[in-house]
Amino acid sequence: MMNMNRLIVFSRTFRIGQRLLGCHARHAGKEELRLQQRRSIKTHSRHLAYAKDLFLGQVNKAEVFPYPEIGNDELEEIKQLVAPVEKFFSDDVDSAKIDREATIPPETLQGLKDLGLFGIMIPEEYGGLGLSNTIYARLNEIIALDGSIAVTLAAHQAIGLKGILIAGNEAQKQKYLPKLASGEHIAAFCLTEPGSGSDAASIQTRATLSEDGKHYLINGSKIWISNGGMADIMTVFARTEVEVDGVKKDKISAFIVERAFGGITSGKPEDKLGIRGSNTCELSFDNVPVPVENVIGEIGGGFKIAMNILNSGRFSMGSSCAGMIKKLIELTSEYATTRKQFNKSLSEFGMIQEKFAMMALNAFVMESMAYLTSGMMDRPGIPDCSLEAAMVKVFSSEGGWICVSEALQVLGGLGYTKNYPFERFVRDCRILPIFEGTNEILRMYIALTGMQYAGKILTGKIKEMKKGNIGLAIGMVSKKLRASLGASVDLGLTGKDGVVHPSLEDSAKKLEQNVSLFGSTVESLLYRYGKTIVDEQLVLKRVADVLIHIYAMTAVLSRASRSISIGLRNHDHEVLLANTFCNDAFFKNNYWMVQLQKHSPENNDANIKKIAKQVLENRAYICSHPLERTY
Amino acid sequence: MKGSRCLHQLKSLRLLSHAGRLLPPAAGDNGALFRPRSSSQLGGLQCAQREVLRHFHSSPACTKGQPARFVQEEDKTRDKSLVTHDDLFEQVAKEAKTKATFNKVIDVYTKGDIRRRGHVEFIYAALKKMPEFGVEKDLTVYNKLLDVFPKEVFVPRNFIQRMFNHYPRQQECGVQVLEQMENYGIMPNIETKVLLVQIFGEKTHPMRKYQRIMYWFPKFKHVNPFPIPEQLPEDPVDLARFSLTRMANDWDAKVTVYQLPCTDVTESGAEVTLPHIVGIQSPGQMEALAKHNPDRPVFVEGPFPLWMRKTCVYYYVLRADPTPPEEKIEEPYDPERCLSYPLQLDLDLDRDLGDDESFDVEDLDEGPVFAMCMTSQGDQATLNQWISGLQESNPILGQIPTLFRLGAGPRELQGVGDADSASRSWFPSHVQREEAHPGEEAEAVVEEAEAVVEEAEAVVEEEPRRSQVVMTLGLRSDCGGNFVDSSHRLWSFSSGVSVKKAPDEVHHHALHPCIALMQCIGKFALLTQRSPTAAIAGPGCSHTGASSRLHQMQLQWIQ
């Protein structure tokens, strides 16, 4: 108890101190940053984003080189912030207990609130910390050490209150944000319904305008609502009748709903595999009266809001996973170096070494991708980084899962017991590829967004080719011939105006080759499938995978180049990691792109589809048992 | 010299066997049938034979003369000798036609004559009688029958014997035994093989036949993707449930028993039998029905036959005419449909022709089928009960006019070559059992199947739209029924092709003509399981788009 009090006192004083100290400095820093960046706006258009251009076989190097930096004062701020949060998580958060009891103790929640972690990205004028995406990502590295807390906080601020933040009007912000920032109110995001995941058309919850026209009455139920049991403010999406061109249509609208409005009942918390401390439950709305002024944006505009919220919340998973893996490396390396077998420590065995190298590589790549993306998002203007954010999410959630399970493997049977935290990490980590848009859906998003962008530009050219334009065909053939004869592709990453450090030149060349081949692959895919590519999910999956790896290569090259240039500690290790990763990714990409060629023997898609079809038609594994006989 | 000697030997042995055929009619009791008489009456004949053997070397001219005489004699007496063995069975049959008595006859024969005279005729006669004794599907009996052949006598001893048809009649008889096993779908076992090796030796015709059977049978045993159990459920409700599920081929389809069969006595004392009504409907069909335009009527049509092995059941469908093109509304693409990714690309590029792998299938819109049912009493009142039962889960049926278009009966689709089909009233029982005799009818069936196809096509032309579903279904089930019998034709066809080829080659070469034949008969790629019955009731056939699915299904099977 004593301890607790001291903590509260400590964190309060810290916050005050921070307020006093930090604010001025931050403001000054931001002014400076803005000035710098305003200059850069003029040099290139903000509408272009890096990933989309890759579909055309172009590297928009100005977007990603040099690696985004933060100002010194902002760095100071991070240092001030990170230390107490780290201390709090190592001293005051008992993750095992949270997992066991499936609830976050109130004093822990209070501690989080006191640290200001409920309002990291809420502007200061509404009582939040007003931090940038980059610092948010940095804090998430620490927060991710407890999956339950991370999910609770993410549901609160990455999606729960994001609607008010990005689309709410001034009055709504004034009314709701301060209490949300302090953690007095907790937010939740209510979109999913029993019959509707990503399908907006099957949302059944309905909001009808009351007779006096002052309220909307919301009816329906929502499932799998994180923080559903404890949320006071909810962003609820419901179907509303809207008149478009004289025709009445149902459109989705977003509402701010307070639990205090009445009529909201939350179900029993779900019993989950992982992130057990986070509260997930069903919410049902029975004639909940919502004042018309609580509509976010305009009525019928909920779809865009939902999409923006979902798209903007994903980038931080990269740093979360990286933070987790870094922690895992610490935990397991101690075991691997002390445990002896046959008079050798585990760390001397190649297969154990491989696991650590893989963890380090993954952490490095995730970090690079996450901070590159957050840096891009922090640039002024309204950058559309949803594609990049989705790529970070897919890569890190899958890499995280592999790393966690490999870390557990290092400990063998010990890792499988509850005496060690690894099994909890494995369970917690399993949610990552599922929530915030499943990886399958995100891959579709990544590939299709790019295909749409490239298709718009390439349609004319492809049509000419289909008509039989000889000039174009000869150009294509000669280009392919040159490429096959081994002519190097030069996209300007190295050389005279190069942005990549010479010690990474080989890797940069590989990236250029991949990008160029990717461009022609996309072109041929568009030529072959046109708009029906939407139905070619296995093709799209590979396109997305290639793109993710190209983006990852870019991120590590950019980051390592910067590290060498400014002489960061252990930058030689970074170069090693970057080169290793690029080499690995280069071959993977080539393999995938070979699979994407027509009549490629490496491509098993037709068989895969056939197998799945036969299995699914019978809803069972249909082979006869090997012990069966016919005579 | 060696060659000519063995030829002579062969001839003389044939003489021996011919001699067996000259046995007089067995008039006595079934025990000790031939022995006394044959030995006494044939004494002279045997002497003549011995003479032949004796004089073999010294007087070839004499031996030349002898066989001719025997052949002439044989021609005169063949029928007589067959009657002999038939009589043997007939006599036993007076007591009881069972496996035991059948075995007894064989025992009597084998023990009766150590030389097994006339065993070929005996085996032919036995084969013919097997169905009568109900042992046509009993492997042990076949083995026992093969055991009648004397051992090692017919095994070729040198390459010339091996090269020429050594003991052709015996071999032919052996093949015939295997052929009948094949026709009844009986798979030989290792004992059969041992017997064949002992009797005829390796690489002889019966052995080849055995190998061919063992090559194809296991492959065809489970080839039917929609197997019918050996024993169909006896209870009409269970049978209806089974048949409906089989036809619907939809895992989600739900079978509802609207009425169980029962017998009631009314106040006036009259006995009223309530028919069973079993229906099936899938969620997809419910959805389609809910979207049906209430201004357009739905039809209750039937009865349509469905063959399940040798059983024919009848079913009814609730269907509608195809939606006219002006009423078809395509759901417009809603860009605000998917929260996560674009469901359509806004591009002006179509799929390249080189990547268009879809088949050019002419889709004929047949109109949706909303539900199916089976009942023992196909009158309008009963079917109305079904519709009102359906209405509980499909309230829209209350608004849609329902027309009953009930057919008169199964017409000639009903039976294959059974003369008494006309005398059978087709309705009183829900089930008709057809006694088919594969061996006898195999020949006729193929032609008839073809005739039915032609006839069916003719009907389709007459009233193209209305009868699409009807004819597809009728055709299929009918052909399925016919296949019951015609399948062994396919068997012999495939084995005929494979005679001169190694098994590996056969696999590819023989299968295709086999399938081609099947297609030409009934447009089915399907063959027997263990028994040659292979009635197909078309899964999926009663759903919308039946023809295209049918087509796909065929393609799949052929692949």
Side-chain angles (χ1 to χ4, degrees):
Chain A
M1 197 61 218
M2 192 59 214
N3 221 350
M4 206 58 235
N5 278 342
R6 211 185 311 152
L7 170 85
I8 292 164
V9 170
F10 163 75
S11 52
R12 278 203 184 128
T13 47
F14 162 73
R15 267 188 84 188
I16 295 163
Q18 185 210 13
R19 284 285 118 104
L20 292 174
L21 281 169
C23 286
H24 288 290
R26 199 185 311 131
H27 271 300
K30 275 199 176 155
E31 281 306 314
E32 201 179 284
L33 203 74
R34 244 167 245 157
L35 274 176
Q36 271 177 4
Q37 277 159 353
R38 217 166 278 157
R39 226 175 299 134
S40 67
I41 297 169
K42 283 171 195 164
T43 55
H44 62 270
S45 158
R46 267 306 320 174
H47 297 293
L48 284 178
Y50 175 73
K52 282 182 181 174
D53 277 343
L54 292 174
F55 279 84
L56 299 169
Q58 294 164 3
V59 173
N60 194 349
K61 58 182 180 179
E63 284 279 326
V64 285
F65 290 99
Y67 198 74
E69 283 187 328
I70 51 171
N72 274 334
D73 40 326
E74 211 172 350
L75 193 65
E76 278 303 309
E77 191 181 13
I78 288 181
K79 279 181 185 160
Q80 281 180 18
L81 252 174
V82 164
V85 175
E86 239 164 19
K87 188 172 159 27
F88 176 74
F89 268 84
S90 62
D91 297 349
D92 298 305
V93 174
D94 184 354
S95 295
K97 189 179 159 210
I98 292 176
D99 183 63
R100 201 167 51 243
E101 293 175 1
T103 174
I104 304 172
E107 56 271 21
T108 310
L109 274 181
Q110 191 55 48
L112 293 168
K113 287 172 189 173
D114 293 339
L115 284 165
L117 294 181
F118 275 78
I120 301 176
M121 292 177 78
I122 297 175
E124 280 156 274
E125 61 256 44
Y126 305 115
L129 297 181
L131 298 174
S132 62
N133 289 307
T134 307
I135 305 181
Y136 176 68
R138 175 72 186 93
L139 286 176
N140 258 308
E141 272 186 44
I142 309 156
I143 295 170
L145 296 181
D146 187 288
S148 303
I149 293 178
V151 169
T152 305
L153 287 178
H156 169 76
Q157 57 192 341
I159 50 177
L161 58 79
K162 211 48 164 288
I164 305 174
L165 202 60
I166 60 178
N169 57 30
E170 192 52 39
Q172 287 165 347
K173 287 183 182 175
Q174 290 285 4
K175 186 174 174 195
Y176 290 109
L177 287 183
K179 282 189 176 171
L180 286 168
S182 67
E184 191 182 332
H185 283 167
I186 291 176
F189 181 78
C190 309
L191 178 67
T192 311
E193 290 189 13
S196 155
S198 288
D199 186 356
S202 42
I203 288 180
Q204 296 293 326
T205 303
R206 183 169 278 283
T208 40
L209 198 59
S210 65
E211 280 171 15
D212 57 2
K214 285 181 182 165
H215 286 88
Y216 277 98
L217 295 174
I218 296 186
N219 280 296
S221 68
K222 301 277 183 185
I223 55 167
W224 296 322
I225 306 305
S226 300
N227 295 351
M230 55 198 218
D232 310 281
I233 312 288
M234 282 152 266
T235 310
V236 181
F237 292 86
R239 190 166 282 282
T240 47
E241 203 169 70
V242 185
E243 203 161 300
V244 185
D245 305 328
V247 188
K248 282 189 175 173
K249 272 176 90 177
D250 272 355
K251 290 198 122 191
I252 308 296
S253 304
F255 300 89
I256 307 170
V257 180
E258 296 177 33
R259 192 180 286 270
F261 289 161
I264 304 174
T265 43
S266 42
K268 202 167 115 293
E270 304 285 347
D271 193 8
K272 304 185 291 289
L273 173 73
I275 53 167
R276 296 179 56 82
S278 71
N279 177 291
T280 309
C281 64
E282 188 183 335
L283 281 181
S284 49
F285 299 85
D286 180 29
N287 271 328
V288 180
V290 182
V292 282
E293 55 267 26
N294 271 22
V295 175
I296 306 178
E298 56 186 31
I299 204 83
F303 183 84
K304 283 231 159 65
I305 296 172
M307 228 168 65
N308 285 337
I309 294 172
L310 291 172
N311 282 342
S312 68
R314 295 184 183 121
F315 72 98
S316 68
M317 200 178 284
S319 61
S320 307
C321 281
M324 195 172 64
I325 296 171
K326 286 192 259 181
K327 180 81 180 171
L328 285 172
I329 292 178
E330 284 169 25
L331 291 171
T332 45
S333 57
E334 189 196 335
Y335 178 82
T337 43
T338 50
R339 162 109 172 153
K340 294 230 169 187
Q341 289 282 288
F342 322 117
N343 289 331
K344 274 177 162 183
S345 73
L346 278 189
S347 57
E348 287 172 66
F349 295 105
M351 286 193 226
I352 302 294
Q353 290 168 351
E354 190 194 11
K355 295 186 202 306
F356 282 95
M358 197 215 42
M359 285 193 269
L361 269 172
N362 265 304
F364 177 68
V365 179
M366 284 173 202
E367 237 176 31
S368 310
M369 286 172 89
Y371 289 103
L372 176 64
T373 311
S374 67
M376 283 160 86
M377 289 171 79
D378 280 336
R379 284 186 203 159
I382 309 164
D384 178 19
C385 294
S386 57
L387 207 56
E388 284 82 357
M391 288 196 279
V392 173
K393 194 261 171 179
V394 173
F395 185 89
S396 50
S397 58
E398 277 166 20
W401 170 246
I402 296 168
C403 288
V404 169
S405 108
E406 287 290 330
L408 188 147
Q409 186 74 18
V410 171
L411 272 84
L414 285 181
Y416 200 67
T417 62
K418 290 224 171 195
N419 303 337
Y420 287 83
F422 299 99
E423 57 86 28
R424 178 168 49 79
F425 274 113
V426 168
R427 283 187 287 113
D428 286 355
C429 209
R430 193 59 191 82
I431 190 65
L432 298 180
I434 298 171
F435 74 176
E436 299 213 29
T438 62
N439 283 6
E440 286 72 23
I441 271 185
L442 287 182
R443 281 199 166 89
M444 290 290 283
Y445 172 73
I446 293 164
L448 285 176
T449 315
M451 280 291 172
Q452 172 73 67
Y453 175 77
K456 278 272 180 227
I457 294 166
L458 294 174
T459 303
K461 189 182 167 191
I462 290 171
K463 282 199 160 172
E464 279 295 306
M465 278 197 317
K466 286 200 178 183
K467 269 187 214 154
N469 187 324
I470 294 177
L472 256 175
I474 291 173
M476 284 278 293
V477 170
S478 65
K479 197 177 156 196
K480 275 197 178 156
L481 206 66
R482 245 181 290 141
S484 65
L485 289 175
S488 65
V489 187
D490 187 10
L491 297 174
L493 290 181
T494 55
K496 195 163 151 272
D497 294 322
V499 283
V500 175
H501 193 271
S503 49
L504 294 159
E505 197 177 324
D506 281 352
S507 300
K509 281 281 165 217
K510 281 173 184 155
L511 171 63
E512 286 177 342
Q513 260 191 50
N514 270 173
V515 171
S516 147
L517 183 60
F518 184 61
S520 55
T521 305
V522 166
E523 198 177 303
S524 77
L525 287 177
L526 282 167
Y527 182 93
R528 286 172 60 193
Y529 298 113
K531 60 185 171 194
T532 63
I533 197 159
V534 184
D535 306 318
E536 302 289 331
Q537 293 210 341
L538 294 181
V539 169
L540 291 173
K541 182 191 170 205
R542 283 194 200 97
V543 169
D545 280 339
V546 172
L547 189 74
I548 291 169
H549 278 77
I550 289 180
Y551 185 60
M553 284 163 93
T554 317
V556 294
L557 286 176
S558 174
R559 172 181 174 188
S561 296
R562 170 181 173 268
S563 303
I564 306 169
S565 307
I566 64 170
L568 286 183
R569 190 188 302 279
N570 292 335
H571 65 250
D572 52 335
H573 188 67
E574 283 186 34
V575 174
L576 185 63
L577 289 173
N579 280 329
T580 314
F581 176 76
C582 286
N583 200 28
D584 192 33
F586 174 67
F587 288 117
K588 278 187 193 161
N589 281 341
N590 279 337
Y591 180 65
W592 286 323
M593 284 189 278
V594 164
Q595 283 189 322
L596 285 176
Q597 284 168 6
K598 200 173 182 178
H599 305 308
S600 150
E602 286 88 350
N603 188 330
N604 248 338
D605 289 0
N607 287 357
I608 287 167
K609 279 186 186 170
K610 209 167 166 180
I611 294 169
K613 196 174 159 228
Q614 290 176 1
V615 168
L616 290 172
E617 259 172 17
N618 293 283
R619 301 193 184 178
Y621 168 76
I622 56 174
C623 294
S624 299
H625 195 275
L627 301 181
E628 227 168 71
R629 45 185 293 167
T630 49
Y631 56 85
Chain B
M1 186 60 219
K2 210 181 171 187
S4 72
R5 198 172 54 202
C6 70
L7 268 177
H8 280 296
Q9 221 172 6
L10 189 146
K11 277 179 185 164
S12 57
L13 278 168
R14 273 187 75 178
L15 285 180
L16 253 175
S17 66
H18 290 171
R21 217 175 286 151
L22 296 176
L23 289 169
D29 209 52
N30 46 8
L33 279 162
F34 317 110
R35 213 185 316 140
R37 283 165 196 246
S38 63
S39 57
S40 64
Q41 289 189 3
L42 281 173
L45 191 64
Q46 280 171 347
C47 285
Q49 263 176 19
R50 269 184 221 120
E51 216 173 39
V52 170
L53 285 173
R54 234 193 344 257
H55 296 297
F56 191 61
H57 295 289
S58 58
S59 171
C62 176
T63 52
K64 265 181 194 165
Q66 290 279 49
R69 187 160 51 83
F70 274 109
V71 169
Q72 276 171 1
E73 273 185 22
E74 179 202 299
D75 284 341
K76 283 181 220 151
T77 50
R78 176 180 276 162
D79 295 333
K80 208 176 156 197
S81 68
L82 272 179
V83 171
T84 310
H85 296 299
D86 276 352
D87 281 355
L88 184 55
F89 283 104
E90 300 281 294
Q91 280 168 6
V92 176
K94 280 176 197 160
E95 292 173 18
K97 289 184 177 184
T98 59
K99 185 180 170 183
T101 51
F102 194 86
N103 282 340
K104 207 167 151 195
V105 176
I106 299 178
D107 286 339
V108 164
Y109 177 76
T110 46
K111 282 172 193 151
D113 182 4
I114 196 78
R115 294 180 191 80
R116 308 268 165 91
R117 256 174 257 170
H119 62 266
V120 171
E121 287 75 14
F122 175 79
I123 290 169
Y124 277 128
L127 282 178
K128 208 173 147 194
K129 291 287 174 192
M130 281 178 90
E132 262 177 57
F133 285 76
V135 290
E136 78 275 16
K137 293 195 176 183
D138 196 326
L139 175 61
T140 53
V141 175
Y142 283 104
N143 283 343
K144 203 172 166 70
L145 210 51
L146 278 178
D147 205 17
V148 170
F149 280 110
K151 310 291 170 317
E152 288 173 26
V153 185
F154 311 133
V155 179
R157 281 156 215 254
N158 53 48
F159 75 96
I160 295 193
Q161 288 181 343
R162 221 164 279 135
M163 202 156 59
F164 294 102
N165 210 352
H166 199 46
Y167 286 99
R169 284 195 65 240
Q170 279 73 10
Q171 288 207 35
E172 208 173 278
C173 181
V175 169
Q176 203 52 48
V177 175
L178 290 166
E179 178 89 11
Q180 182 157 336
M181 289 170 77
E182 186 187 18
N183 287 346
Y184 285 105
I186 309 300
M187 185 148 16
N189 62 2
I190 193 73
E191 200 191 331
T192 321
K193 186 182 181 181
V194 170
L195 277 168
L196 288 173
V197 171
Q198 278 180 347
I199 300 164
F200 299 107
E202 307 273 359
K203 300 192 178 178
T204 49
H205 287 301
M207 230 7 236
R208 297 284 195 203
K209 177 79 184 170
Y210 168 83
Q211 284 167 341
R212 236 170 272 130
I213 292 177
M214 290 309 278
Y215 178 76
W216 286 110
F217 255 44
K219 284 181 183 56
F220 279 126
K221 198 171 176 184
H222 297 297
V223 85
N224 185 353
F226 306 103
I228 309 183
E230 203 71 40
Q231 282 296 318
L232 286 170
E234 285 294 322
D235 180 27
V237 176
D238 286 343
L239 184 64
R241 193 193 296 270
F242 176 75
S243 329
L244 286 171
T245 339
R246 188 178 156 75
M247 272 197 291
N249 194 29
D250 186 336
W251 288 77
D252 299 319
K254 216 179 103 201
V255 175
T256 319
V257 179
Y258 295 100
Q259 187 173 290
L260 282 167
C262 59
T263 315
D264 255 356
V265 180
T266 54
E267 289 166 12
S268 56
E271 204 170 85
V272 179
T273 312
L274 289 174
H276 68 270
I277 309 173
V278 184
I280 193 167
Q281 198 182 29
S282 70
Q285 286 174 317
M286 281 170 84
E287 211 173 287
L289 185 54
K291 281 185 190 157
H292 184 76
N293 179 359
D295 298 338
R296 308 185 65 84
V298 290
F299 307 105
V300 177
E301 287 183 355
F304 304 117
L306 167 72
W307 284 96
M308 312 278 275
R309 289 195 186 274
K310 293 176 183 176
T311 309
C312 185
V313 287
Y314 294 91
Y315 64 93
Y316 299 82
V317 295
L318 176 70
R319 61 176 286 267
D321 281 336
T323 330
E326 65 269 15
E327 273 187 36
K328 275 182 195 161
I329 320 153
E330 272 192 32
E331 264 188 39
Y333 168 58
D334 179 9
E336 299 204 346
R337 173 87 195 257
C338 181
L339 280 161
S340 317
Y341 61 90
L343 292 175
Q344 276 183 24
L345 287 189
D346 177 23
L347 290 180
D348 191 21
L349 281 174
D350 284 320
R351 206 182 181 87
D352 190 52
L353 285 177
D355 281 282
D356 195 358
E357 280 155 1
S358 57
F359 289 108
D360 187 16
V361 179
E362 189 167 326
D363 278 329
L364 187 67
D365 201 351
E366 290 169 342
V369 172
F370 298 123
M372 291 190 288
C373 93
M374 279 188 178
T375 172
S376 55
Q377 202 173 313
D379 53 29
Q380 193 164 330
T382 316
L383 292 171
N384 223 342
Q385 229 173 316
W386 170 47
I387 297 298
S388 47
L390 270 179
Q391 205 171 320
E392 281 171 27
S393 47
N394 303 275
I396 195 173
L397 270 177
Q399 307 160 34
I400 308 176
T402 310
L403 299 183
F404 289 85
R405 300 206 288 210
L406 302 179
R411 291 170 304 187
E412 52 279 289
L413 294 185
Q414 180 198 347
V416 177
D418 54 346
D420 58 340
S421 67
S423 61
R424 260 184 220 169
S425 71
W426 80 279
F427 241 123
S429 80
H430 66 291
V431 165
Q432 294 194 3
R433 280 168 206 284
E434 171 130 11
E435 300 303 327
H437 304 294
E440 293 163 14
E441 289 177 2
E443 301 283 307
V445 166
V446 176
E447 283 91 30
E448 277 183 46
E450 276 162 356
V452 171
V453 173
E454 277 163 27
E455 193 255 357
E457 274 163 6
V459 177
V460 173
E461 275 165 30
E462 270 171 37
E463 32 174 0
R465 206 181 60 176
R466 213 212 94 170
S467 52
Q468 262 319 308
V469 172
V470 184
M471 286 332 293
T472 317
L473 300 174
L475 182 66
R476 292 192 60 171
S477 22
D478 180 57
C479 288
N482 283 332
F483 257 85
V484 170
D485 298 330
S486 58
S487 54
H488 18 268
R489 275 286 288 239
L490 301 174
W491 273 117
S492 34
F493 187 79
S494 63
S495 27
V497 172
S498 63
V499 168
K500 282 166 194 162
K501 283 171 184 151
D504 303 10
E505 290 170 298
V506 170
H507 185 73
H508 299 291
H509 299 294
L511 200 58
H512 281 287
C514 174
I515 284 161
L517 180 72
M518 282 189 273
Q519 273 189 303
C520 92
I521 295 171
K523 300 192 176 178
F524 285 103
L526 178 104
L527 255 192
T528 56
Q529 318 173 30
R530 197 184 172 89
S531 82
T533 53
I536 324 161
C541 67
S542 55
H543 278 285
T544 50
S547 76
S548 61
R549 278 175 70 173
L550 190 69
H551 190 94
Q552 281 174 356
M553 210 150 70
Q554 284 166 4
L555 285 172
Q556 274 175 8
W557 290 352
I558 290 164
Q559 278 161 12

